[in-house]
């Protein structure tokens, strides 16, 4: 075991206690008033904490102040005569005993976990590490080189922004349609965005918002905008962390997305989004930090209180439990860590007006001290009882990489969940795989087998077929295999289980038959996504046929592989118009986004059920039909008159045919109906409407196509 070390840096004068006052332990972070700044930082095991002040560029020699008070494991002090704009960091003293989990090293300037704005960029250098690089892992020798010149620093912000609260809209869950997008990639190639604003918060302005609003979606789900860093191994390959799932600070926006460097640029973007009638869901990464494994850099939490903030191996506390695959895992079982995460959520909700969160690897946040998933975990309890957090939209990615990590459907009331079973089944069904029909009808009904319990609603199922992680929609129907060579990892990264197809040619082709089929498959998949019960999530760019050239793991591609190309050809414009029509249909018919699960119950007065599954002959599906592994065609009859508790006069028929041959489907006789009107046919995506058809009409459903009919009612 390394010898305990507590000595501090030899340089820079530590200011006298008379220059700093006792201050208060709350709020945690740096809080300015008209006379000075209160500093408060949590550490359960530190022996001394210094706050270090810099000029506004974070470059001049620091002035150090010892925080004079320690209250309830919070170090605090008040420095008069400074205010908003002050740049600072911390040096934290304590034992350097890796085997006991302690990695205190005051030679490393540390970022405040509650920093609201950052100054400066991380420079990868040996000085970032708390131990001597190149030493044996068994040694981890204490390193005395100062890291201050090479790390970003915190800056105290002012509250001078004017919010337009009257523009903010709260969309009911059952009406919600999400649009997952990257704040940089959405505007980098948009001709309507000024070049100096592309890829920034300022770039998310009228041209982009006009497009998003034209789709009819109700909310934007932004990939991470918390401050993050690019790993050194990516920089060595000439790549960068594009997605942002490598968080450095949970309160500060990413500096690279700001044209001005001021947090008000982010606030202005949020104002514009709300003024457009859209909500903002923020993808957050509270499961790990950018400090990585035991061989990673000391940037913040590791040097503040490593043994508290991280889950450590019980056999040897120098090593980290790695349920994330990134090197470390935050320990939300500790109340101090839980407080930091929930404080971050409240800050983004109250001070930055975010409408909800999507939690990356959400299972990790609810693992107990033994490592098992606990749906009654203190994190879930805190979210449910907090009067601010429990009013937000909370979406989880219900899995992680460790044993017992897959928990789809197991989260408690109040949560919605990414439903990867919906994704996998729809991909397999439209590709033409066997034995998919019985699963499909369940997922069309919001996966009630997973979510219909404890008063949860259909919107608990976040339905998606594509997301940032994996193929885009266009690539899903253009490639059978991943093509990740640009990631410089020998095409070894990314999943091989894509459930995709190329329909005759790998990648781009000029063959008109293949292109027509691919367009129809895109329309089929989008139609199923947007007409199914539950909450649909559309991946940005899918509506215009964005391709990543077969890359299904573009996390490190900050270039035109990931950036959306807005130069559209005729097929892409057709797909865009078709997507807009789909969303219009979903929003027009309440029966397509019912607030309760279908039950099969009957309206005894009319003799109709809320949902009936039909074979092509128009008879109700029987047990032998469900057991037919080769069956690929079904009708979903939704009768709004039997919906509870809110019946309506809508009767809709959705027909899905994944066969490679046409199927004749008899349009059924329904009580009170006089005929059927065709609203949608993916075989003819250019056509808005079709004429009416009589009851009993033998409608020829083209191979691999989807149709939506509305019943004409007797008046």
């Amino acid at each position: 075991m390394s010898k305990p070390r507590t000595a501090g840096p030899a340089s820079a004068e530590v200011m006298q206690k008379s220059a700093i006052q006792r201050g208060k332990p709350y709020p945690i972070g740096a809080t300015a008033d008209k006379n000075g700044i209160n500093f408060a930082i949590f550490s359960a095991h530190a022996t001394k904490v210094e706050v270090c002040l810099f000029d506004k560029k974070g470059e001049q020699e620091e002035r150090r102040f010892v925080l004079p008070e320690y209250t309830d494991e919070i170090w605090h002090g008040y420095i008069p005569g400074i205010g908003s704009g002050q740049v600072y960091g911390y040096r934290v003293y304590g034992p350097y005993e890796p085997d006991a989990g302690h990695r205190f090293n005051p030679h490393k300037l540390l970022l405040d976990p509650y920093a609201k704005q950052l100054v400066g960029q991380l420079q990868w250098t040996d000085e970032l590490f708390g131990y001597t690089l190149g030493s044996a892992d068994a040694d981890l020798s204490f390193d005395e080189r100062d890291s201050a010149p090479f790390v970003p620093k915190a800056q105290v912000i002012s509250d001078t922004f004017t919010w337009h609260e009257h523009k903010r809209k709260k969309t009911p869950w059952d009406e919600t349609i999400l649009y997952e997008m990257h704040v940089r990639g959405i505007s980098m190639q948009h001709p309507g965005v000024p070049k100096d604003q592309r890829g920034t918060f300022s770039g998310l302005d009228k041209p982009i918002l006009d497009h998003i609003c034209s789709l009819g979606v109700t909310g934007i789900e932004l990939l991470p905008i918390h401050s993050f860093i690019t790993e050194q191994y990516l920089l060595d390959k000439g790549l960068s962390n594009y997605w942002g799932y490598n968080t450095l600070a949970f309160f500060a926006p990413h500096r690279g997305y700001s044209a001005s460097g001021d947090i008000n640029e982010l606030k202005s973007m949020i104002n514009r989004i709300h003024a457009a009638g859209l909500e903002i869901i923020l993808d957050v990464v509270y499961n790990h930090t950018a400090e990585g494994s035991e061989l990673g850099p000391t940037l913040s939490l590791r040097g503040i209180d490593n043994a508290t903030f991280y889950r450590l191996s019980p056999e040897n506390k120098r090593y980290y439990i790695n349920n994330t695959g990134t090197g470390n895992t935050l320990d939300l079982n500790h109340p101090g860590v839980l407080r930091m995460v929930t404080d971050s959520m409240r800050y983004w909700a109250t001070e930055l007006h975010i409408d909800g969160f999507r939690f990356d690897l959400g299972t990790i946040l609810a693992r107990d001290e033994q490592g098992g998933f606990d749906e009654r975990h203190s994190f879930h309890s805190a979210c449910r009882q907090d009067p601010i957090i429990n009013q937000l939209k909370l979406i989880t990615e219900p899995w992680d990489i460790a044993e017992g990590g897959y928990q789809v459907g197991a989260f408690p009331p109040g949560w919605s969940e990414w439903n990867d079973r919906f994704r996998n089944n729809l991909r397999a069904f439209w590709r033409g795989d066997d034995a998919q029909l019985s699963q499909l009808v369940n997922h069309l009904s919001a996966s009630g087998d997973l979510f219909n319990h404890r008063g949860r609603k259909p919107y608990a199922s976040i339905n998606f077929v594509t997301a940032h992680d994996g193929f885009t929609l266009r690539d899903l129907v253009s490639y059978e295999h991943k093509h990740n060579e640009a990631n410089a990892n020998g095409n070894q990264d990314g999943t091989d289980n894509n459930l995709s197809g190329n329909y005759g040619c790998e990648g781009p082709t000029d063959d008109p038959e293949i292109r027509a089929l691919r367009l129809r498959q895109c329309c089929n998949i989008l139609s199923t996504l947007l007409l199914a019960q539950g909450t649909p999530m559309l991946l940005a760019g899918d509506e215009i046929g964005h391709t990543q050239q077969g890359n299904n793991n573009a996390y490190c591609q900050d270039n035109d592989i990931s950036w959306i190309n807005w130069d559209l050809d005729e097929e892409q414009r057709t797909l865009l118009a078709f997507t807009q029509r789909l969303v219009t249909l979903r929003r027009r018919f309440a029966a397509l986004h019912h607030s309760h699960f279908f039950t099969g119950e009957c309206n005894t007065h009319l003799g109709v059920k809320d949902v009936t599954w039909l074979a092509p002959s128009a008879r109700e599906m029987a047990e032998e039909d469900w057991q037919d592994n080769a069956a690929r065609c079904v009708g979903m009859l939704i009768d709004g008159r039997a919906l509870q508790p809110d019946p309506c006069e809508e009767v809709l028929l959705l027909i899905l045919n994944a066969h490679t041959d046409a199927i004749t489907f008899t349009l059924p006789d329904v009580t009170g109906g006089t005929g059927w009107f065709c609203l949608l046919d993916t075989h003819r995506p250019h056509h808005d409407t079709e004429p009416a058809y009589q009851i009993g009409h033998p409608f020829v459903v083209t191979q691999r196509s989807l149709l939506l009919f509305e019943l004409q009612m007797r008046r």
Side-chain angles (χ1 to χ4, degrees):
M1 181 175 68
S2 301
K3 182 180 179 181
R5 299 291 299 271
T6 60
S11 62
E13 179 184 0
V14 176
M15 307 300 291
Q16 298 298 316
K17 287 186 178 180
S18 59
I20 186 169
Q21 302 170 10
R22 294 173 58 186
K24 300 178 180 179
Y26 295 102
I28 301 177
T31 307
D33 60 27
K34 63 181 180 179
N35 297 316
I37 298 176
N38 188 80
F39 295 91
I41 182 172
F42 164 82
S43 179
H45 296 101
T47 58
K48 183 174 73 171
V49 177
E50 293 171 355
V51 60
C52 309
L53 306 185
F54 298 84
D55 69 352
K56 289 191 175 182
K57 293 184 178 180
E59 296 175 350
Q60 291 183 356
E61 187 173 0
E62 67 199 79
R63 296 182 295 152
R64 300 179 190 160
F65 298 79
V66 176
L67 294 182
E69 282 290 337
Y70 186 52
T71 305
D72 297 333
E73 299 184 329
I74 296 173
W75 299 83
H76 56 96
Y78 181 88
I79 302 178
I82 59 176
S84 299
Q86 178 64 56
V87 176
Y88 70 99
Y90 287 109
R91 296 185 185 273
V92 181
Y93 296 72
Y96 183 78
E97 298 176 319
D99 287 343
H102 300 305
R103 294 172 178 262
F104 294 101
N105 186 340
H107 296 281
K108 308 308 169 186
L109 187 76
L110 304 175
L111 184 67
D112 183 1
Y114 281 68
K116 308 300 193 302
Q117 185 167 285
L118 306 189
V119 170
Q121 301 293 326
L122 179 73
Q123 301 175 50
W124 282 99
T125 177
D126 292 358
E127 283 82 356
L128 299 181
F129 298 83
Y131 58 91
T132 303
L133 272 179
S135 64
D137 184 23
D139 182 16
L140 293 182
S141 301
F142 185 82
D143 183 69
E144 298 186 359
R145 289 171 294 183
D146 187 12
S147 68
F150 311 104
V151 295
K153 302 163 182 71
Q155 184 173 41
V156 182
I157 64 173
S158 62
D159 187 15
T160 60
F161 189 77
T162 301
W163 289 96
H164 300 159
E165 273 304 305
H166 62 283
K167 296 289 188 180
R168 197 169 179 180
K169 180 180 179 182
K170 187 174 179 62
T171 303
W173 255 118
D174 57 292
E175 298 177 10
T176 298
I177 305 172
L178 298 175
Y179 186 76
E180 190 199 32
M181 55 162 278
H182 192 289
V183 73
R184 178 168 169 82
I186 197 78
S187 66
M188 280 300 293
Q189 299 190 97
H190 198 291
V193 177
K195 289 186 177 180
D196 61 345
Q197 294 180 5
R198 293 179 184 177
T200 70
F201 298 130
S202 294
L204 193 50
D205 205 341
K206 187 175 179 3
I208 303 295
L209 292 176
D210 284 351
H211 171 79
I212 296 173
C213 289
S214 77
L215 295 174
V217 300
T218 66
I220 294 172
E221 185 175 306
L222 282 179
L223 265 69
I225 61 171
H226 285 175
S227 180
F228 64 88
I229 63 173
T230 291
E231 300 89 329
Q232 186 174 19
Y233 79 89
L234 287 177
L235 293 174
D236 291 344
K237 295 179 178 181
L239 302 171
S240 64
N241 190 317
Y242 174 67
W243 286 349
Y245 291 93
N246 197 38
T247 307
L248 176 63
F250 295 119
F251 290 75
H254 185 57
R255 178 64 179 81
Y257 295 156
S258 175
S260 64
D262 193 302
I263 195 171
N264 284 349
E265 182 179 338
L266 169 62
K267 294 179 179 179
S268 294
M269 180 197 79
I270 295 170
N271 250 352
R272 293 192 299 272
I273 292 173
H274 283 153
L278 299 168
E279 291 184 306
I280 309 172
I281 309 297
L282 187 61
D283 197 335
V284 287
V285 190
Y286 292 123
N287 54 71
H288 75 280
T289 76
E291 290 183 305
S293 72
E294 61 275 1
L295 300 178
T298 297
L299 304 172
S300 183
L301 302 182
R302 173 172 285 146
I304 293 171
D305 194 344
N306 183 70
T308 292
F309 281 104
Y310 294 114
R311 293 177 62 90
L312 305 179
S313 170
E315 289 78 22
N316 188 333
K317 294 184 181 299
R318 72 168 55 200
Y319 300 111
Y320 295 84
I321 292 174
N322 183 19
N323 290 339
T324 64
T326 61
N328 65 57
T329 305
L330 280 181
D331 187 4
L332 269 73
N333 293 296
H334 192 285
V337 185
L338 177 63
R339 176 179 55 207
M340 177 188 70
V341 169
T342 53
D343 282 352
S344 169
M345 293 168 63
R346 278 188 295 271
Y347 171 73
W348 283 88
T350 58
E351 300 299 318
L352 296 177
H353 297 203
I354 295 299
D355 302 294
F357 299 98
R358 179 267 186 188
F359 297 87
D360 177 64
L361 299 182
T363 299
I364 287 176
L365 307 181
R367 285 190 177 270
D368 59 25
E369 293 183 356
Q370 288 71 45
F373 174 76
D374 180 7
E375 65 100 355
R376 299 178 68 182
H377 190 274
S378 55
F379 173 67
H380 288 170
S381 299
C383 291
R384 192 168 188 184
Q385 63 81 32
D386 187 284
I388 294 172
I389 296 175
N390 67 17
Q391 298 300 307
L392 304 174
K393 285 186 166 76
L394 301 180
I395 302 169
T396 186
E397 182 182 40
W399 53 77
D400 62 33
I401 68 168
E403 183 179 356
Y406 189 78
Q407 295 293 335
V408 175
F411 277 69
W415 289 84
S416 291
E417 307 176 33
W418 271 29
N419 187 353
D420 67 327
R421 295 188 187 181
F422 180 99
R423 174 197 66 193
N424 295 345
N425 174 232
L426 258 69
R427 289 186 176 196
F429 173 77
W430 283 115
R431 190 173 66 170
D433 291 9
D434 285 343
Q436 299 299 315
L437 201 58
S438 60
Q439 298 178 54
L440 174 73
V441 298
N442 178 49
H443 296 313
L444 289 173
S445 303
S447 306
D449 61 327
L450 297 172
F451 302 107
N452 189 10
H453 59 94
R454 301 178 66 184
R456 301 183 76 182
K457 303 299 183 185
Y459 54 72
S461 176
I462 303 296
N463 299 334
F464 69 104
V465 183
T466 56
H468 66 275
D469 186 3
F471 277 151
T472 66
L473 177 62
R474 181 171 175 177
D475 290 354
L476 185 66
V477 301
S478 302
Y479 296 91
E480 286 191 4
H481 309 286
K482 66 186 181 185
H483 296 269
N484 297 353
E485 290 81 6
N487 297 354
N489 196 31
N491 202 32
Q492 297 302 304
D493 61 299
T495 183
D496 292 312
N497 184 30
N498 296 293
L499 297 171
S500 61
N502 64 29
Y503 303 101
C505 174
E506 187 76 353
T509 179
D510 292 328
D511 187 307
E513 292 186 3
I514 295 176
R515 291 171 67 98
L517 177 54
R518 288 177 177 178
L519 175 61
R520 187 159 73 254
Q521 287 287 68
C522 286
C523 292
N524 289 333
I525 292 169
L526 286 173
S527 298
T528 315
L529 171 66
L530 287 163
L531 301 180
Q533 303 293 306
T535 303
M537 185 186 76
L538 181 67
L539 174 64
D542 277 356
E543 75 278 13
I544 54 173
H546 171 61
T547 177
Q548 293 178 169
Q549 303 167 32
N551 193 318
N552 73 352
N553 190 33
Y555 75 102
C556 56
Q557 299 298 329
D558 188 5
N559 49 50
D560 58 7
I561 290 177
S562 296
W563 301 342
I564 293 177
N565 185 348
W566 296 93
D567 184 14
L568 309 184
D569 60 24
E570 182 179 353
E571 287 182 6
Q572 291 173 295
R573 289 190 292 270
T574 296
L575 188 60
L576 173 59
F578 185 83
T579 305
Q580 292 167 329
R581 184 149 54 97
L582 275 173
V583 176
T584 299
L585 287 170
R586 179 182 179 87
R587 299 183 69 171
R588 171 182 165 188
F589 293 106
L592 293 175
H593 51 89
H594 189 48
S595 60
H596 289 67
F597 285 97
F598 295 150
T599 64
E601 292 184 3
C602 184
N603 179 322
T604 55
H605 176 66
L606 295 174
V608 297
K609 295 193 296 185
D610 55 4
V611 64
T612 305
W613 302 101
L614 301 177
S617 64
R619 62 171 173 79
E620 188 167 357
M621 292 278 284
E623 184 64 29
E624 59 269 19
D625 296 314
W626 297 120
Q627 294 177 359
D628 182 359
N629 289 340
R632 291 177 174 81
C633 183
V634 69
M636 181 184 189
L637 178 64
I638 305 172
D639 199 318
R641 296 168 294 182
L643 295 178
Q644 295 299 326
D646 302 308
C648 62
E649 292 299 310
E650 302 166 0
V651 181
L652 301 172
L653 175 63
L654 183 66
I655 301 175
L656 304 94
N657 176 27
H659 282 289
T660 56
D661 297 315
I663 296 290
T664 299
F665 201 105
T666 302
L667 299 182
D669 187 4
V670 178
T671 301
T674 61
W676 291 96
F677 192 86
C678 185
L679 303 174
L680 191 77
D681 184 350
T682 59
H683 180 61
R684 288 168 284 190
H686 301 85
H687 295 264
D688 291 338
T689 59
E690 292 290 338
Y693 296 89
Q694 295 180 349
I695 297 291
H697 177 78
F699 194 98
V700 178
V701 182
T702 311
Q703 54 122 348
R704 287 186 172 130
S705 61
L706 177 148
L707 298 109
L708 179 66
F709 291 88
E710 180 186 13
L711 185 69
Q712 291 181 309
M713 306 290 287
R714 185 179 297 111
R715 301 301 180 186

